[in-house]
Amino acid sequence: QDGPQRKKRKSEVGGEVDKQLDILAVGTAVGSILLYSTVKGELQSKLDGGHESRVNCVRWHQESCCLYSCSDDKHIVEWNTQTCKVKCKWKGDNSSVTCLCISPDGKMLLSAGRTIKLWDLETKEVYRHFTGHATSVSSLMFTTVKPTNESKPFDGITGLYFLSGAIHDRLLSVWYIRSDRKEKNAVMSFTVTDEPTFVDLTVSEVKEEPVKLAVVCRDGQLHLFEHILNGYCKKPLTSNCTVQIATPGDGDSTPKPVPILAAAFCTDKQSLLLVYGNTLQPIIEKVSLNTSESHICLVRDIQKVLSLKTDAAVTKVKTPVVNSDAKVLVPGIPGHSTAVKTPALGKEKKKNKRKPGETEESIEERLGALDIDVSKVKTPGGLPQTDSFAVLLVQGLESNDAEILNKVLNTRKENIVKNTVARMPIHAVIPLLHELTKRLQGNPYSASLMVRWLKSVFTVHASYLSTLPDLIPQLGMLYQLMESRVKTLQKLSRLHGRLFILVTQVAASQTVQDVPEVNQTAKLVYEDESSEEEGSDDEMIADKDSDENWDEDEEKEEQSDEQDMTVEKEINGDSDLEPENESEEE
């Protein structure tokens, strides 16, 4: 069953034994079915036109010329193998149909995608529904031929049990076909260590006869079950016996497990055919096991069996005879050619091309031999000269060059940051985020620059980042970093507020202190004459000075008022007054 093609065995039935028992039906990935004659060793016929997608399962009917197939195109097809044409085609499920099984009497058909359906082959209608599995069903087979309750008349299907297994499911379920439609769940289940890859069983023909089940798992183990099907069982049943194969540990070598690929019961229902080893060259062995032991390990030395015989005399390698005039072109730079050295017959190939005394050529000399200018390879300043920051950034991330990364990431221009992030390839986004996260943990100055890059990456590549399944673990460090910084923001804001109040208060107090003091001494003191007659001469002189000052002040005020009036009159046009009036006014 490896690869796109799946080979299915047909049911062993009577009838046209000579004609039909040698036909092998093979479903292909393109939707056609090949009928291969094992006796003639050639392709007999090809069934086309039934399926539009890959064929998942093919089953022979008891009638020799009838074949059923199912496909990813959701349909089930009934074929007439004699005419190689479609007899009937109907939709089997809403999703792909992965497995089929025909009832013992040939009148019913089990089909399964995830849910399991039992079809009436005459009317092509669903007779029963079953819950099925969470994943695609990979195996379906009937376990009983007759019902356990023999008191009621048997209609060919009611009272029978069948088994189903699915991919990625470690439980094999057993289902019971009832007369009513109420119960749709499995009646019992068998548990195994890994996903079942191959299932074979012995059909129970009598009521008391137990069903023997052989299940090969993906881990290479074989589990053997033996159980009488007699109704509902809640707890999953474990295997009676587990079989493994290993190599003998001769000397220092440790035993290695040998995977079992398939297992089938022989006609006596006791001995088993085991297929193990390599899928390209499997070993088939008939064994009789003592199932009373819970675990059996068979020791087989497969190295001796699988040793390949090679004839040293016959070789398919031919050395061409090259003439000295022939010129052989070497692929690569156009115009380059090299002379092909013809191998000298009878001489052994040198193991070491260099002589002990010679020194190995340097890279520069080799490049010179290829006509490549070495000076063009080396660039001044140690950095690749390129106009695109995006190319520089990708080179820095791939080579983990701190000098290139510093040159690109320390840019302050928003325009350059946005354009660089927009032009960079998708695969460089996650490495860039890791580099930015690493730099954010450094000093705050570099963090303020890295935040601009982070903002651009999240705005430009948000759609790509949202498609990554492991985005949360990829950005886990960044989330923690941001959370730790955001937690301290509230405390820092409070501290900033308090400091601001203190600073403003200190500044206000300093401005109050800087204001010059007001002189509180009076410039003029007036005292009443009657208050104190006995005054000193100095006081009298002061009084006189003050009186004179008052007179002078009054005169100055009158002069200023007159000037104001004259100005107003000039403005109003009343400047032509008589000189007499002016003198009177004065």
Side-chain angles (χ1 to χ4, degrees):
Q1 293 183 0
D2 297 321
Q5 296 186 353
R6 284 185 160 196
K7 298 183 179 181
K8 300 291 178 184
R9 296 176 303 155
K10 51 151 207 56
S11 305
E12 293 184 3
V13 291
E16 301 171 328
V17 178
D18 298 335
K19 292 183 180 179
Q20 285 302 123
L21 274 183
D22 68 316
I23 302 296
L24 180 72
V26 184
T28 64
V30 293
S32 58
I33 297 170
L34 308 177
L35 299 181
Y36 188 83
S37 172
T38 55
V39 174
K40 297 177 184 176
E42 61 183 24
L43 187 68
Q44 182 169 302
S45 53
K46 185 178 179 181
L47 308 179
D48 271 330
H51 294 294
E52 297 170 3
S53 187
R54 61 170 289 161
V55 178
N56 291 323
C57 183
V58 284
R59 286 281 183 264
W60 287 100
H61 194 265
Q62 281 84 329
E63 295 176 9
S64 54
C65 62
C66 192
L67 181 76
Y68 289 90
S69 64
C70 64
S71 167
D72 280 351
D73 63 4
K74 310 174 188 178
H75 285 81
I76 301 170
V77 176
E78 183 181 357
W79 299 89
N80 186 341
T81 53
Q82 289 182 339
T83 59
C84 297
K85 289 183 179 179
V86 176
K87 202 172 177 182
C88 184
K89 180 179 178 178
W90 71 96
K91 188 175 180 180
D93 208 327
N94 291 328
S95 58
S96 60
V97 186
T98 55
C99 205
L100 296 175
C101 182
I102 296 166
S103 64
D105 63 349
K107 294 179 180 178
M108 295 282 180
L109 174 73
L110 278 172
S111 76
R114 289 180 183 175
T115 58
I116 302 170
K117 295 177 182 177
L118 182 64
W119 299 87
D120 187 341
L121 286 178
E122 285 185 13
T123 60
K124 305 295 187 293
E125 291 179 355
V126 178
Y127 181 71
R128 291 283 184 277
H129 274 282
F130 299 94
T131 312
H133 296 259
T135 52
S136 300
V137 175
S138 57
S139 54
L140 274 177
M141 49 188 71
F142 279 89
T143 57
T144 52
V145 180
K146 295 178 181 178
T148 52
N149 188 2
E150 296 177 354
S151 59
K152 295 180 181 179
F154 180 50
D155 60 356
I157 195 69
T158 306
L160 298 186
Y161 290 89
F162 68 91
L163 179 89
S164 70
I167 58 171
H168 309 307
D169 193 347
R170 295 191 301 110
L171 287 177
L172 291 159
S173 301
V174 178
W175 312 82
Y176 181 61
I177 302 169
R178 301 173 184 274
S179 55
D180 56 358
R181 294 172 179 263
K182 292 178 182 178
E183 189 62 42
K184 296 182 180 180
N185 296 328
V187 291
M188 66 181 73
S189 57
F190 300 101
T191 178
V192 289
T193 54
D194 203 350
E195 176 191 338
T197 56
F198 195 92
V199 182
D200 191 49
L201 53 82
T202 61
V203 178
S204 171
E205 296 177 355
V206 192
K207 183 180 178 182
E208 288 80 14
E209 186 185 359
V211 172
K212 290 184 179 180
L213 185 66
V215 183
V216 178
C217 297
R218 194 170 290 282
D219 58 5
Q221 296 185 45
L222 168 64
H223 298 275
L224 298 173
F225 299 85
E226 192 170 339
H227 189 74
I228 297 172
L229 303 177
N230 55 0
Y232 186 75
C233 182
K234 188 176 181 181
K235 192 177 180 182
L237 302 169
T238 55
S239 60
N240 298 19
C241 179
T242 304
V243 182
Q244 285 180 298
I245 300 177
T247 58
D250 297 333
D252 299 332
S253 63
T254 54
K256 293 180 181 178
V258 178
I260 300 174
L261 306 174
F265 286 102
C266 298
T267 49
D268 61 356
K269 296 188 179 182
Q270 296 297 325
S271 52
L272 277 166
L273 275 176
L274 292 182
V275 183
Y276 58 91
N278 190 357
T279 50
L280 297 174
Q281 196 178 1
I283 302 161
I284 302 174
E285 183 183 345
K286 186 176 181 180
V287 291
S288 296
L289 300 172
N290 181 15
T291 54
S292 59
E293 297 179 22
S294 61
H295 194 277
I296 299 171
C297 183
L298 303 174
V299 180
R300 299 288 185 270
D301 191 1
I302 61 168
Q303 296 298 329
K304 293 178 181 177
V305 183
L306 292 176
S307 57
L308 298 172
K309 294 178 182 179
T310 53
D311 195 353
V314 180
T315 176
K316 292 184 179 180
V317 180
K318 293 182 180 180
T319 308
V321 180
V322 181
N323 192 4
S324 58
D325 299 334
K327 181 181 179 181
V328 180
L329 295 177
V330 174
I333 303 169
H336 278 227
S337 62
T338 178
V340 176
K341 296 177 182 177
T342 54
L345 297 172
K347 290 185 181 181
E348 291 184 1
K349 195 175 183 180
K350 292 180 183 178
K351 288 183 181 178
N352 191 4
K353 293 181 181 178
R354 214 179 354 147
K355 292 179 182 177
E358 290 181 354
T359 56
E360 192 177 359
E361 289 183 354
S362 67
I363 299 292
E364 198 168 342
E365 289 171 354
R366 292 181 188 180
L367 290 174
L370 291 171
D371 296 337
I372 294 173
D373 193 359
V374 185
S375 62
K376 290 180 183 176
V377 178
K378 295 175 182 176
T379 57
L383 283 173
Q385 300 297 314
T386 175
D387 298 330
S388 174
F389 263 71
V391 175
L392 266 179
L393 181 61
V394 173
Q395 286 177 359
L397 290 171
E398 286 177 353
S399 61
N400 204 8
D401 193 332
E403 192 179 352
I404 295 177
L405 290 172
N406 288 336
K407 182 181 176 184
V408 177
L409 296 176
N410 288 340
T411 182
R412 293 171 170 279
K413 295 181 181 178
E414 292 281 346
N415 241 350
I416 293 177
V417 172
K418 286 181 182 176
N419 290 336
T420 305
V421 171
R423 289 175 185 173
M424 67 183 294
I426 291 293
H427 64 80
V429 173
I430 292 295
L432 176 61
L433 283 176
H434 289 325
E435 181 65 29
L436 292 174
T437 306
K438 192 167 70 178
R439 287 169 180 258
L440 274 170
Q441 297 169 2
N443 59 347
Y445 171 73
S446 68
S448 63
L449 290 172
M450 295 310 115
V451 166
R452 298 178 185 178
W453 285 91
L454 270 179
K455 183 182 175 185
S456 296
V457 170
F458 286 137
T459 49
V460 174
H461 296 291
S463 56
Y464 164 69
L465 290 170
S466 62
T467 60
L468 296 177
D470 58 341
L471 181 64
I472 293 172
Q474 293 273 16
L475 302 180
M477 182 68 74
L478 188 61
Y479 285 150
Q480 290 174 10
L481 199 65
M482 289 165 72
E483 280 178 13
S484 62
R485 294 205 176 191
V486 169
K487 279 178 184 175
T488 56
L489 178 64
Q490 196 173 2
K491 296 176 183 177
L492 286 172
S493 301
R494 287 177 186 170
L495 180 62
H496 178 266
R498 288 172 184 173
L499 288 173
F500 181 73
I501 292 170
L502 283 172
V503 169
T504 48
Q505 285 179 353
V506 170
S509 64
Q510 284 179 353
T511 52
V512 170
Q513 288 173 6
D514 293 343
V515 173
E517 292 184 2
V518 181
N519 190 9
Q520 299 295 334
T521 57
K523 289 184 179 179
L524 176 66
V525 180
Y526 175 75
E527 288 183 0
D528 196 6
E529 293 176 358
S530 61
S531 64
E532 204 171 310
E533 292 177 356
E534 297 174 359
S536 62
D537 296 336
D538 295 335
E539 288 175 355
M540 293 299 287
I541 292 163
D543 288 341
K544 286 177 183 177
D545 291 341
S546 63
D547 288 341
E548 288 171 6
N549 290 336
W550 275 101
D551 294 339
E552 287 174 5
D553 291 341
E554 285 176 2
E555 286 174 5
K556 285 179 181 177
E557 285 177 4
E558 287 174 359
Q559 286 175 4
S560 65
D561 288 340
E562 286 169 6
Q563 285 175 3
D564 291 341
M565 287 175 69
T566 53
V567 170
E568 285 178 5
K569 285 175 182 178
E570 283 176 6
I571 292 169
N572 297 330
D574 301 334
S575 60
D576 52 348
L577 291 172
E578 295 175 0
E580 294 174 358
N581 295 339
E582 288 178 7
S583 62
E584 286 173 3
E585 285 176 3
E586 284 175 10

